[in-house]
Amino acid sequence: MGAEPNITGITRGGTAWIPQFAVALDEGKCIGCGRCYKVCPRDVLTIVQRAVDDVDFDDDDDDDDDSDNSFMTLTNPMDCIGCEACSRVCPKACFTHEALPVAA
Ligand code: SF4
Ligand code: SF4
């Protein structure tokens, strides 16, 4: 028995493509900007508040509108379609994506 084939998609024009599913999100690097949440079409992500002990009250990272008081989590990873929109807008490269086998 060989390995299970990866999940593949196809464009309207008939070109095959391999979805890259979000398999991890580095919550330590995340600044809670919400960009990924806004573009995700599948409600995979949820933003949560950091515990008070973890909040950096001396936010000196020169972000204008971003807050380190919250971070994003992968709450519904099984709904991900592997579009990678989240990574395209993430300013901190928080996401890890992988192609996955059909049976995963
Ligand atoms: S790859 Fe697409 S569907 Fe999956 S979490 Fe990112 S934006 Fe959402
Ligand atoms: S776009 Fe990146 S930094 Fe912003 S909330 Fe999402 S994971 Fe965090």
Side-chain angles (χ1 to χ4, degrees):
M1 288 277 292
E4 292 289 336
N6 281 339
I7 297 169
T8 56
I10 191 167
T11 68
R12 182 178 173 183
T15 302
W17 64 282
I18 300 174
Q20 300 291 324
F21 299 96
V23 295
L25 194 168
D26 189 333
E27 297 169 357
K29 290 198 310 188
C30 177
I31 57 173
C33 68
R35 290 171 173 85
C36 56
Y37 180 86
K38 290 177 184 171
V39 299
C40 180
R42 299 293 295 182
D43 293 332
V44 174
L45 307 165
T46 303
I47 197 162
V48 298
Q49 294 294 122
R50 290 192 193 279
V52 172
D53 288 349
D54 294 337
V55 173
D56 177 10
F57 290 107
D58 298 320
D59 184 359
D60 55 358
D61 55 11
D62 295 330
D63 296 322
D64 292 332
D65 59 345
D66 298 328
S67 168
D68 287 340
N69 297 345
S70 53
F71 62 97
M72 200 62 64
T73 56
L74 276 171
T75 44
N76 298 306
M78 299 306 282
D79 286 339
C80 178
I81 59 172
C83 67
E84 296 183 272
C86 49
S87 280
R88 291 186 186 191
V89 298
C90 179
K92 296 294 184 180
C94 294
F95 289 89
T96 301
H97 294 262
E98 290 180 3
L100 293 173
V102 174

